[in-house]
Amino acid sequence: MERKYKIPPVVYINFVLVFVLLVAIFFPEIRASFRKILASPKPISASKQSQAIQIQNSFRNVYKEAQAFVVSIRTKKTEMIFHPYAFGESREDRVSSIGSGFIIDERGFVVTNYHVIKNAEIIEIIMPDGRIFPARYVGSHERADIALLKIPSNDRFKPALLGNSDEIEVGDWAVAVGSPYGLEKTFTVGVVSAKSREDLDETGQTHIQTDTAINPGSSGGPLLNIYGEVIGINRMIRSSSGASAGIGFAIPINYAKKVLRQIEQNVGQNIRPATLGVMATTPLPDHRKSLGIPPEAIGVLVYDIEPNSSADRGGLRRYDFILAANGMTVRHINDLREQVGLVGLGGVLRLKILRDTQEMELLIPLVEVIYKKGS
């Protein structure tokens, strides 16, 4: 009796699977149809949300770009810890804190806030891929609150692209990436709330105000525009609780560029705050006429000088009309203050002045003034 051969069911199943696979490869429109059939329906169709999806994709693009150059800064320093339940008892302990930073050069130079690394005994840079490097201190500018670090490696790193903070407008998108409360690669979105906020603290420098969520640990991280360019360095918040209240401030990147050039010229040093020791203002028309200052001349008039100050020692006099500082036109007192801050203690301020209708130049060393008691 002849035995009939029977094909196993598994063979049929394999044929079907191969057929489906070939259809999926050579007929992508069929594949897309299958995907739609299998996908769960959305409450609102993509066609109705096209504009929102475009914005969402824009933010995704910024994050993908930023996560390659944003780093975390971990510092450790020894502090005296007081026992809360034993009066007078204390012990030394090493305390860790975390901030943010970003790479500005493929060789591994990293920018952060000075207050993030101030008094630190150990500084570590935590890379986006999780690697940890002991940071090398390059220099800092105390008043500007900016520090420059170096990753000790011969690797090449992806740097951030620095934008033009002079071009921003109120209402522009503003994106922050950093490590608030130690949560690395946190991405928050808001807008530029105000430009050129001045006199927020003792530095007197201008800031970008934003409602982008900035919290402890975000300091030193970048504030980005919608193109993924750095427009500011996140620095501080204004809040009664210590957490984000929608009022954050960043150092404009154009000002930071000037500070970084000063740091590069003073490697290994912390540029300390300096004062010129003058009181100056924009002169009234009567003052211009009596002092021989041309009506079209731009500058500030010195009306008082602090005794023994840098200005006093450097030869500046009352009623000198300051036209420029370090080659920059002085339009108001904040311009002069900015140049003094950039140069810092121990530097030399170059002033172009008008004295008795004659233009002249003064080189004024910015010195530390120590006042004796009773003087």
Side-chain angles (χ1 to χ4, degrees), residues 23-288:
V23 169
I25 293 172
F26 294 104
F27 298 95
E29 64 278 1
I30 298 177
R31 184 172 69 243
S33 299
F34 274 116
R35 191 183 298 118
K36 288 181 180 179
I37 293 170
L38 297 174
S40 59
K42 295 187 174 12
I44 305 174
S45 67
S47 61
K48 292 181 179 179
Q49 293 294 86
S50 59
Q51 290 184 337
I53 291 171
Q54 287 178 4
I55 295 173
Q56 178 176 271
N57 289 336
S58 297
F59 291 143
R60 287 178 177 178
N61 292 336
V62 173
Y63 179 69
K64 288 175 184 176
E65 182 72 18
Q67 68 174 342
F69 56 74
V70 178
V71 301
S72 296
I73 310 292
R74 184 167 61 195
T75 62
K76 298 176 183 180
K77 61 182 176 181
T78 302
E79 290 186 354
M80 191 68 69
I81 307 298
F82 293 91
H83 198 291
Y85 304 111
F87 180 76
E89 287 189 15
S90 62
R91 60 183 177 83
E92 285 189 350
D93 199 1
R94 179 159 283 178
V95 179
S96 296
S97 60
I98 199 158
S100 304
F102 56 97
I103 300 168
I104 62 164
D105 187 282
E106 64 176 7
R107 293 170 295 174
F109 287 95
V110 173
V111 171
T112 187
N113 286 142
Y114 170 72
H115 76 259
V116 169
I117 58 106
K118 183 179 180 181
N119 299 327
E121 296 165 358
I122 297 174
I123 306 172
E124 295 176 322
I125 298 174
I126 305 174
M127 303 299 294
D129 58 9
R131 287 182 295 167
I132 301 175
F133 290 96
R136 180 168 67 84
Y137 173 79
V138 178
S140 55
H141 196 299
E142 188 172 331
R143 191 179 188 88
D145 198 14
I146 294 175
L148 185 63
L149 308 174
K150 175 72 168 63
I151 301 169
S153 171
N154 293 324
D155 293 348
R156 293 294 174 178
F157 302 92
K158 179 177 175 57
L161 292 178
L162 306 185
N164 184 353
S165 53
D166 292 339
E167 293 180 349
I168 64 171
E169 296 293 341
V170 174
D172 286 356
W173 287 113
V175 175
V177 183
S179 303
Y181 299 107
L183 301 172
E184 299 171 15
K185 299 182 183 178
T186 295
F187 180 94
T188 58
V189 177
V191 297
V192 174
S193 305
K195 303 192 302 179
S196 304
R197 285 290 192 206
E198 297 179 347
D199 302 323
L200 295 172
D201 60 5
E202 70 282 354
T203 66
Q205 66 192 43
T206 63
H207 289 77
I208 300 168
Q209 182 181 332
T210 179
D211 68 349
T212 306
I214 297 173
N215 283 291
S218 299
S219 293
L223 187 70
L224 306 166
N225 60 19
I226 200 64
Y227 308 108
E229 298 172 325
V230 179
I231 56 172
I233 304 172
N234 297 322
R235 180 170 181 251
M236 60 182 181
I237 61 175
R238 183 160 289 183
S239 168
S240 58
S241 66
S244 176
I247 305 177
F249 301 97
I251 303 167
I253 198 63
N254 285 8
Y255 177 72
K257 291 174 187 176
K258 299 176 186 177
V259 173
L260 289 170
R261 283 195 289 270
Q262 289 292 119
I263 293 175
E264 289 170 359
Q265 294 169 13
N266 297 272
V267 172
Q269 299 180 33
N270 173 36
I271 302 173
R272 295 169 55 202
T275 57
L276 183 58
V278 301
M279 284 178 276
T281 187
T282 303
L284 297 172
D286 288 346
H287 294 154
R288 287 179 178 271

Side-chain angles (χ1 to χ4, degrees), residues 310-327:
S310 299
D312 188 25
R313 297 182 185 184
L316 203 62
R317 300 178 188 173
R318 289 182 67 190
Y319 307 126
D320 282 345
F321 186 69
I322 301 176
L323 299 164
N326 294 332

